[in-house]
Amino acid sequence: MLLLGRLTFAQTVLSTPDPKEPVGERPYEMVWANRTEPSPPTVRFDDLTGWTIVVERGARASLQVSRAQNVWGRPVAKLRYSGEGGSESKPRVLLLPPEPIRLPDDADSVEMWVFGNRWERENRRDTPPLHIVLHFRDGSGKASDTDLGNIRWKEWWLMHKKLASGLKPPIRLESIEAANGSQSGWREIFFDSIRIYREKVPALQFAARPKRNLQLFEGQSPGANNGTGKLSFPTREQTILPIHLGGAFRNSLVEEPKGTYRFNYVAQDCTVTFVFVPRDGLSSLLGLLNNQAVGVLMDGAAVHRSSGSTNALLRSTDVQNRQLTAVYDDGTTLHLLIWQKSLVVDVANRTGEADRLKFGQLSRLVQPRLITIPFLDHNTGPQPCVLLSLAGTNPVFSSIWLDWYRSNGSEPYAAESVSTNTASINGGIGYKPRTDGQRNPMFERVFITLSPVFEEVLPTVPNPVGLHAHDAVDRLWQESWGPQDYAKQMKRSAVLRAYGIEKLIHCNHENTWRDAGESFTLRTRAAPKKGGDPALKSYIAHQRNLGWLAGLYSNYADYAPVNEFWNPDDVQRLPDGNWRSAYPGCWGLKPLKAVEYDALLAPQIKAKFDPNSAYTDVQTAVPPWVGNDYDARVPGAGTFAQTFYACGELLQNDSRAYGGPIFSEGTYQWMYAGLADGNYAQACWSRPMAKEPLLPVFDLYQIHTKECDIGMGWTRLFCDAIPNWRQPENLDSAIDRFLLNTLAYGHIGWLVEDEQHGIERTCRSYYMLQQVQARYGLQKPVRIGYWDGAQLVNVSTALIQDLPRSRRQLYVEYPSGLRLWLNDHPNDNWVVTPAAGDPQMTTSSSDSRNGIILPPSGWVVSTTNAELFSYSALNGTNRADYLRSPAYTYLDGRGHRFETPEAVADGGLVIRPLGPNQLVLVHVSGHDEFTVRRPYQVSGALSTCEAFDVEGQEIASPECHDNGDETRIKPLEKALRYVLRFGEKR
């Protein structure tokens, strides 16, 4: 009886609202925009008369008219639901209208306004994702389902889907399914309406964009890039051609008997030969180093047609200007020539039938081994690689790279596998149809490179240096992740500034624009409940008055249906015509509209709030092929290059608009390097950098020289791959590794979070990085080496010995004379003697002599002119940190007495020159008396010592003991800053 009663209640449909529930307001952006419903819906939920509920597999549900939420100014339906607590039951709720609802005969789309109850990113187990499906039946009695997807957002979102094709009218909606609500507690969502209609696809207009700065293939469309002027990228016609380090060389093309062609590189460093037989296609391509076979370089490579055919017969060959042209009967034309050690292969097929260019695999290899390249990767799945193998007895590196500046394709894909004598190091590129069913003609350039030098097989990134990247080199970066509370963040920022953290870029996330789960993109008006525009203006002014660069959040990728600029024609389309989803609660904004919106809104944001930096979210976090718009109404539809050029232009425009360095999310910064001024230093999420080989070569040469990437992402992003890193006994060593890798990859510092990890570690991250990064920012290294246990060896030798993975002991030298020794070995110490001036002067951990002992995650930095000297190393048996520069001296004994030429302290201490015979000290941590000597040319006895608290208020004078050469100070409990003046004679 009780069970029956529960089931009866759970299946109730109530046609009147609860009079006690509060009345909801429309999304305020829709009010700002005076949005009205575009047309009458097919189904409204403000009248539930005659509706019924069917539940299955332990589901319980009730449906009631409600005023608690509001999107179009009318009552909605509230669905309350629960299950039995086990996901295996797969509960299902069906909502049945009084009668099946007939659709318009020409309908091809459905959209449904739903108020959600969960954020996908939170993945709360107590609120599993409810799955929404619409059930139809056509005139022949055939059932058809339209899957609208999971609830993965909070607040209002417009679900949208194309109807299945081939259904015979009349088609009727029979039920609405809400499945998988298996939690035992009650949850609720809201429905406003369903509209089933024929989607209108009017012609679209886009502003012409500046021309691409290269020569396109003959017949290749420039997409929208047919306007005035030229983009600043790429910076050269050779685009991604790898660097050449081998000195003078000679390239040649030689035709041999039996239709064979040899492309030669000849120089003192080596010879490289590519042998190609046109009648056998790309699969015939053979590589040699010093006349020893490397192997077949593209075994199985082919232009694949949508019909499935890959066989093509050679029609003709021709050689002009050392370039071979081969024409095939499937419409494919190959152009091959050699530049340096790279064979450049242009592939064209104008038939519109080519759906894929497959790179194949390398075969007939000797001892193949794959090398993945940090920061040259895809977010998940297989990664593009470099191959290390043998040509005879000589090690050789091989690579295959797609020219992303010239591509006309839809989606590149990687391949990564190795066996006894074969390897796949890159996949190819696909060509998907646009929404009109047509494929774009194939135009691709591929670089195949062989070299005994690893650096020579990596692609060049021919982008300019970031417009304001120079303004970021000496500043660390911190994200507020909001803020939710301006006053709290301003107070926290003032504390950080009191600790001497002055060189900082402080950016903010989406919560500056929204109060809860509403829209957060394309915003020029601040969160109303946080005080609106006046509060945000005051907040930005406060942050800038600290001497910081202060940036707001912007996002031109995620596009919410409640946004005041909403227009469904601005949403990206997939090949089947469906809208492309993006972040929860958002659809993907067309890249060509994104660059227009940015040009419109960024100057308005700058004029209103006056930030001098920005965080431009998403743009570099997803590859341009994931943002590929297949809408046939769009110039360049179906080509990822159109997205790439639009996003790159957008990033540069943001830097111009805000007049300071702007940053994006990162992962694909290898394509966009220098178009933003920096990125989170994120890499492949499925392969944490803390576990990857320490191999910063590509980053240091191609990314670091153009922009200032941040940390290794944020602290947790890197450290989460370190087991139990948050445990007190592991925390310092994990953060030390985070800082070491930041230095190794040449990044600017992420300011370690004070609220999570303590101000002592925050200051350590700031003072140990700031002066170092100021000297290496945007500089190309002159030497990268690895310690092999006896000597420093070059990168190629290190890779042959697997040192980036096994020893992880790195040396980097910059043109200014800045040198870094970095020990990321998990167990072994490394002893270095930087004062000797010769980086080879290093020893094993068993022979320390007068060297600096670097424990695991330890490092030492010096300049050849002794202007800067720093280490995080062993002081006896304890770890200590030290940095001496003209700007400041920092030391931290980490709880143990630590003596340097400038001072003695058991905790963190900062010494800055303040003026003639004046010093300012920041006592970061430590309990014992600390000693200050006479750095920065101060002299004489102490005349005064003033103490100030964190708010800058002077407090009682501390107890000091001075002998004219050094001053011992007993720290006051509330004192943070001490000002010392000298000059009295004794």
Side-chain angles (χ1 to χ4, degrees):
M1 291 294 293
L2 290 175
L3 181 59
L4 288 175
R6 286 178 61 195
L7 287 174
T8 300
F9 169 77
Q11 298 173 45
T12 300
V13 176
L14 300 175
S15 297
T16 57
D18 180 351
K20 296 181 181 180
E21 69 181 1
V23 177
E25 298 179 353
R26 292 187 70 199
Y28 57 78
E29 290 181 89
M30 298 176 77
V31 176
W32 292 345
N34 296 315
R35 283 266 296 279
T36 58
E37 203 164 12
S39 61
T42 310
V43 181
R44 285 173 42 165
F45 291 95
D46 52 344
D47 183 0
L48 297 178
T49 303
W51 282 76
T52 56
I53 300 177
V54 174
V55 296
E56 298 176 0
R57 304 166 193 156
R60 298 176 295 169
S62 68
L63 190 67
Q64 183 176 11
V65 173
S66 173
R67 290 189 176 275
Q69 303 300 340
N70 178 5
V71 66
W72 292 119
R74 60 178 174 243
V76 298
K78 175 170 64 177
L79 173 66
R80 297 183 75 240
Y81 63 94
S82 70
E84 296 177 332
S87 59
E88 66 281 354
S89 62
K90 301 186 184 303
R92 193 166 77 135
V93 177
L94 295 175
L95 309 180
L96 282 65
E99 298 288 342
I101 299 170
R102 179 166 177 168
L103 280 57
D105 288 348
D106 63 348
D108 65 357
S109 301
V110 58
E111 61 187 32
M112 184 177 186
W113 280 101
V114 181
F115 190 99
N117 61 2
R118 68 185 300 275
W119 289 117
E120 183 179 55
R121 65 179 183 271
E122 295 175 352
N123 195 26
R124 293 184 53 172
R125 294 184 179 182
D126 63 353
T127 308
L130 204 64
H131 195 74
I132 307 297
V133 180
L134 303 185
H135 298 288
F136 300 98
R137 193 170 301 276
D138 74 359
S140 68
K142 178 183 177 182
S144 176
D145 297 340
T146 297
D147 188 338
L148 295 182
N150 287 337
I151 302 292
R152 58 190 194 101
W153 66 92
K154 291 184 177 179
E155 306 203 12
W156 286 109
W157 192 44
L158 183 63
M159 305 182 87
H160 181 278
K161 197 68 174 288
K162 285 289 188 182
L163 296 175
S165 59
L167 299 179
K168 297 180 179 179
I171 306 168
R172 288 179 169 83
L173 171 65
E174 292 190 329
S175 64
I176 304 164
E177 176 182 339
N180 296 336
S182 58
Q183 77 292 330
S184 58
W186 288 96
R187 300 292 180 266
E188 60 186 37
I189 62 172
F190 298 84
F191 302 137
D192 173 83
S193 58
I194 301 174
R195 185 162 74 104
I196 304 171
Y197 63 106
R198 184 164 193 82
E199 198 167 31
K200 296 179 180 178
V201 284
L204 302 178
Q205 298 295 320
F206 298 91
R209 312 308 322 163
K211 294 179 177 64
R212 303 176 188 181
N213 195 29
L214 48 63
Q215 182 68 45
L216 297 173
F217 289 95
E218 182 180 351
Q220 184 180 10
S221 169
N225 297 101
N226 58 359
T228 58
K230 282 190 174 182
L231 296 170
S232 63
F233 61 97
T235 55
R236 63 177 194 171
E237 187 66 23
Q238 297 94 334
T239 62
I240 69 169
L241 177 70
I243 62 173
H244 178 67
L245 304 173
F249 67 92
R250 179 171 56 87
N251 285 141
S252 64
L253 167 59
V254 177
E255 182 176 2
E256 296 186 338
K258 299 182 180 180
T260 298
Y261 296 84
R262 298 174 70 94
F263 298 83
N264 299 308
Y265 164 91
V266 179
Q268 288 189 348
D269 62 329
C270 68
T271 64
V272 173
T273 302
F274 299 93
V275 180
F276 179 62
V277 183
R279 67 176 178 276
D280 296 329
L282 291 173
S283 283
S284 70
L285 189 61
L286 181 70
L288 299 95
L289 176 72
N290 295 330
N291 295 316
Q292 298 292 314
V294 175
V296 179
L297 303 180
M298 300 186 78
D299 192 355
V303 173
H304 189 277
R305 293 191 291 181
S306 56
S307 63
S309 172
T310 57
N311 295 322
L313 298 176
L314 180 67
R315 282 187 170 176
S316 64
T317 58
D318 184 47
V319 175
Q320 297 287 337
N321 299 319
R322 294 189 298 177
Q323 175 177 275
L324 171 65
T325 299
V327 180
Y328 297 86
D329 67 355
D330 66 347
T332 299
T333 299
L334 303 179
H335 299 284
L336 298 90
L337 72 162
I338 188 168
W339 287 345
Q340 300 168 179
K341 296 182 178 77
S342 296
L343 184 69
V344 184
V345 181
D346 288 348
V347 183
N349 187 303
R350 297 172 175 82
T351 64
E353 296 179 1
D355 67 0
R356 181 162 45 110
L357 172 59
K358 180 181 177 182
F359 294 161
Q361 65 177 356
L362 294 90
S363 64
R364 292 168 26 196
L365 302 172
V366 177
Q367 298 183 20
R369 176 153 59 94
L370 300 185
I371 301 169
T372 54
I373 316 300
F375 297 104
L376 177 54
D377 50 38
H378 293 188
N379 193 5
T380 58
Q383 302 297 310
C385 306
V386 165
L387 175 71
L388 170 61
S389 62
L390 293 179
T393 59
N394 298 316
V396 58
F397 298 94
S398 308
S399 67
I400 302 174
W401 303 110
L402 180 80
D403 186 348
W404 59 89
Y405 294 89
R406 278 193 164 81
S407 177
N408 210 47
S410 303
E411 294 185 4
Y413 61 94
E416 179 185 4
S417 66
V418 65
S419 69
T420 303
N421 56 12
T422 66
S424 295
I425 60 174
N426 211 337
I429 182 163
Y431 278 68
K432 291 186 175 181
R434 306 181 303 245
T435 55
D436 61 2
Q438 301 299 306
R439 285 184 172 82
N440 291 307
M442 178 178 286
F443 296 108
E444 300 297 341
R445 174 167 288 178
V446 183
F447 289 79
I448 304 121
T449 309
L450 303 176
S451 175
V453 178
F454 174 71
E455 292 92 328
E456 289 191 328
V457 302
L458 300 176
T460 297
V461 181
N463 292 339
V465 176
L467 295 174
H468 290 97
H470 287 282
D471 298 328
V473 296
D474 64 346
R475 292 178 180 267
L476 278 78
W477 206 92
Q478 189 180 75
E479 167 69 77
S480 73
W481 303 119
Q484 289 283 28
D485 185 322
Y486 294 141
K488 180 179 178 181
Q489 181 62 47
M490 287 189 288
K491 182 178 180 179
R492 174 174 174 255
S493 297
V495 170
L496 292 175
R497 188 63 184 84
Y499 276 87
I501 296 171
E502 60 181 0
K503 294 286 189 177
L504 189 69
I505 301 167
H506 190 266
C507 284
N508 302 278
H509 216 69
E510 62 197 54
N511 288 339
T512 50
W513 297 116
R514 68 179 183 182
D515 293 307
E518 68 269 33
S519 168
F520 57 96
T521 69
L522 277 65
R523 294 287 295 265
T524 60
R525 294 191 244 191
K529 293 181 181 178
K530 291 189 177 76
D533 291 353
L536 185 54
K537 289 178 184 179
S538 176
Y539 169 66
I540 291 297
H542 175 273
Q543 303 302 84
R544 290 195 59 177
N545 286 338
L546 297 174
W548 295 354
L549 300 184
L552 285 173
Y553 175 92
S554 65
N555 181 328
Y556 299 94
D558 301 315
Y559 191 36
V562 298
N563 187 270
E564 65 175 311
F565 294 101
W566 172 258
N567 181 341
D569 282 327
D570 291 345
V571 177
Q572 295 176 33
R573 301 276 180 149
L574 297 171
D576 62 3
N578 275 301
W579 298 358
R580 187 192 292 276
S581 65
Y583 193 77
C586 298
W587 295 103
L589 178 63
K590 289 184 182 301
L592 286 178
K593 292 304 297 186
V595 71
E596 292 181 8
Y597 277 123
D598 179 71
L600 172 70
L601 301 180
Q604 296 179 30
I605 294 168
K606 172 64 177 177
K608 181 185 286 190
F609 302 104
D610 198 27
N612 53 359
S613 184
Y615 175 59
T616 306
D617 203 8
V618 179
Q619 297 296 328
T620 63
V622 294
W625 46 94
V626 169
N628 193 343
D629 188 3
Y630 291 89
D631 191 337
R633 300 173 294 170
V634 174
T639 67
F640 82 82
Q642 184 63 80
T643 300
F644 168 70
Y645 283 109
C647 290
E649 184 186 353
L650 184 156
L651 292 167
Q652 289 189 317
N653 180 68
D654 258 11
S655 190
R656 280 189 292 267
Y658 294 113
I662 68 101
F663 300 82
S664 192
E665 191 172 355
T667 298
Y668 290 87
Q669 60 266 46
W670 55 271
M671 302 181 75
Y672 293 102
L675 305 183
D677 299 300
N679 287 275
Y680 288 138
Q682 296 192 77
C684 174
W685 278 59
S686 61
R687 301 182 188 186
M689 289 297 294
K691 295 183 176 181
E692 287 296 290
L694 184 64
L695 186 59
V697 178
F698 175 74
D699 190 345
L700 289 176
Y701 282 142
Q702 299 301 334
I703 302 177
H704 157 87
T705 53
K706 300 172 181 68
E707 66 182 29
C708 296
D709 283 356
I710 303 160
M712 297 300 290
W714 48 98
T715 313
R716 177 176 59 83
L717 182 71
F718 179 84
C719 292
D720 274 354
I722 301 172
N724 302 313
W725 75 276
R726 294 180 187 272
Q727 296 297 317
E729 65 272 19
N730 299 328
L731 183 58
D732 279 323
S733 62
I735 292 177
D736 289 338
R737 283 201 67 204
F738 175 68
L739 301 181
L740 179 146
N741 276 264
T742 298
L743 292 165
Y745 284 88
H747 299 160
I748 65 172
W750 168 273
L751 191 69
V752 169
E753 300 85 347
D754 54 299
E755 293 176 316
Q756 291 94 329
H757 307 305
I759 192 65
E760 184 176 356
R761 296 181 181 93
T762 303
C763 289
R764 188 180 301 152
S765 70
Y766 180 80
Y767 288 109
M768 289 297 287
L769 295 181
Q770 192 271 328
Q771 284 291 297
V772 180
Q773 69 181 52
R775 288 162 171 79
Y776 67 45
L778 303 176
Q779 301 298 308
K780 183 178 178 180
V782 295
R783 184 180 180 188
I784 301 172
Y786 288 84
W787 180 247
D788 70 355
Q791 62 182 339
L792 287 173
V793 298
N794 62 37
V795 174
S796 299
T797 301
L799 285 164
I800 294 165
Q801 298 179 21
D802 202 26
L803 300 181
R805 183 182 302 276
S806 61
R807 292 194 67 96
R808 307 178 69 91
Q809 294 171 325
L810 177 71
Y811 172 81
V812 184
E813 183 175 345
Y814 289 92
S816 63
L818 184 75
R819 301 174 299 166
L820 297 89
W821 291 258
L822 304 117
N823 182 24
D824 200 31
H825 195 288
N827 303 307
D828 291 356
N829 293 341
W830 185 22
V831 182
V832 302
T833 54
D838 181 1
Q840 294 284 4
M841 294 292 293
T842 57
T843 68
S844 68
S845 59
S846 62
D847 181 17
S848 59
R849 289 184 287 193
N850 296 318
I852 296 174
I853 304 174
L854 303 184
S857 69
W859 66 87
V860 60
V861 182
S862 71
T863 55
T864 51
N865 62 6
E867 179 196 40
L868 179 143
F869 181 56
S870 175
Y871 57 80
S872 183
L874 291 182
N875 175 44
T877 59
N878 304 309
R879 181 77 172 252
D881 305 289
Y882 174 71
L883 186 142
R884 181 192 70 229
S885 73
Y888 61 78
T889 294
Y890 169 77
L891 60 150
D892 184 359
R894 300 196 184 192
H896 300 273
R897 176 182 169 86
F898 179 37
E899 184 171 351
T900 74
E902 298 82 11
V904 182
D906 67 329
L909 183 66
V910 184
I911 308 169
R912 290 183 185 273
L914 185 62
N917 262 10
Q918 297 180 69
L919 298 174
V920 60
L921 315 180
V922 178
H923 187 235
V924 177
S925 62
H927 302 288
D928 296 345
E929 179 182 84
F930 59 90
T931 300
V932 179
R933 289 161 176 163
R934 298 297 184 262
Y936 300 109
Q937 299 180 335
V938 302
S939 61
L942 178 72
S943 67
T944 63
C945 178
E946 300 168 307
F948 302 85
D949 65 15
V950 71
E951 295 179 351
Q953 299 298 312
E954 186 172 0
I955 57 179
S957 297
E959 179 182 332
C960 300
H961 300 276
D962 184 77
N963 64 10
D965 295 318
E966 62 181 30
T967 304
R968 292 182 289 114
I969 301 172
K970 186 175 182 179
L972 297 176
E973 181 180 356
K974 294 185 178 181
L976 171 63
R977 183 167 56 93
Y978 299 81
V979 176
L980 282 63
R981 295 178 177 86
F982 303 88
E984 289 188 355
K985 296 182 178 180
R986 287 188 178 270

